[in-house]
Amino acid sequence: MNNPLLGIPNIIFIIFGGIYSLLCLGSLLIYRLKQRLSARDYQELTKRINAWWVMVTIIFCTFLVPEGFTITAIGFLSFFAFKEFVSLIPTRRTDHRPIFWAYIAIPLQFYWIYIGWYGMFIIFIPLYMALFLPMRMVLIGNTKGFMAAASTINWLLLFTVFCLSHMAYFLKLPDSVNEHASNYGLILFLVLLAQFNDVMQFTWGKLLGKHPVLSTVSPKKTTEGFIGGLIITTLLAYLLAPYLTPLTVWESIGAGLMIATFGFIGDVSISAVKRDLNIKDSGTLIPGHGGILDRVDSLIYTTPLFFHYVYYLHY
């Protein structure tokens, strides 16, 4: 059933109500701990909780506006992720023009989504831009570092724009398949599970972690944390899927396993980039979390995979 004023399914409001309740509980717990112990010991955790308040509210607000504004908001997320990534990597002076054209590709990609042109949405970046950007570099005439630059810029565009843009295309799928939660339910399911998996892998790793799973890439990631996150995330997928998605029981379990596993892969992929560049965080935009990439890394792999998983099974 939809809210008569906003046209958003009531289950969406219920889920967000639960998230806000957890944030209230977390804020209250930290406040009590600060009173008993040194407030300085909880500065980082306080920043993280405060940032979650802001991020959850932004996501909630994007669900309340018309579809076009939601697509635009996801477009801005991709834009800032790409911009942050480009600011981290070494580039040649002659790469500025190809990077400019990569920026132009972002609004075009989301325009294809807005008008519902699936064929162009699915090939524009991995085919047309993958051909156009190296061509533009060749015409400039600088061959030194050509392969590295062409590969890097195309990879960044694929990661931060093409992969994340699948989240926006959920809104163009027929609502009739997921009538109880609409397509917003699919987005909420994906984002909630991916972020929850991050928290659970971190928590279980802190509590039980002893065996590094990829010590040369991310020494703090442990096998125990990965398995704990996998189990809890899959359980949450099983519980939420009947309310937010058209997935059956076994399909929801498969989705939970996929989101937990490839959320981890996305996380360590960005960790590998940061280790290669010898930096701790991708940015400082989100207090306590780092940059945009530090927060969306788990969505880079999971978004296109979950989209095509649902698309194949139910659309």
Side-chain angles (χ1 to χ4, degrees), residues 212-230:
V213 64
L214 284 171
S215 57
T216 57
V217 177
S218 186
K220 293 183 179 180
K221 300 288 184 185
T222 65
T223 302
E224 293 82 0
F226 171 72
I227 294 174
L230 184 75

Side-chain angles (χ1 to χ4, degrees), residues 170 173-175 177-178 182-183 186 246 307 310-315:
F170 273 124
L173 299 178
D175 269 331
V177 178
N178 193 28
S182 78
N183 294 325
L186 292 168
F307 175 89
V310 175
Y311 189 84
Y312 173 77
L313 291 172
H314 292 279
Y315 292 91

Side-chain angles (χ1 to χ4, degrees), residues 44 93 96 118 130 153 178 191 194 259 277 297 300 312-313:
E44 189 69 18
R93 185 182 181 89
H96 294 174
Y118 180 81
I153 296 172
N178 193 28
V191 174
I259 291 172
L277 298 173
D297 51 10
I300 289 173
Y312 173 77
L313 291 172

Side-chain angles (χ1 to χ4, degrees), residues 178-221:
N178 193 28
E179 291 181 345
H180 49 289
S182 78
N183 294 325
Y184 288 95
L186 292 168
I187 297 176
L188 182 57
F189 181 83
L190 168 66
V191 174
L192 183 58
L193 259 65
Q195 299 305 314
F196 185 77
N197 180 60
D198 283 350
V199 174
M200 286 297 100
Q201 289 195 5
F202 174 80
T203 303
W204 283 102
K206 283 288 186 181
L207 293 175
L208 302 174
K210 293 182 179 179
H211 304 91
V213 64
L214 284 171
S215 57
T216 57
V217 177
S218 186
K220 293 183 179 180
K221 300 288 184 185

Side-chain angles (χ1 to χ4, degrees), residues 20 46 49 85 88 123 128 160 174 179 184 226 238-239 284 296 306-307 309:
Y20 278 118
T46 301
I49 291 290
F85 221 148
L88 298 177
I123 67 169
Y128 292 124
T160 58
E179 291 181 345
Y184 288 95
F226 171 72
Y238 168 77
L239 294 174
T284 58
V296 303
F306 179 65
F307 175 89
Y309 180 76

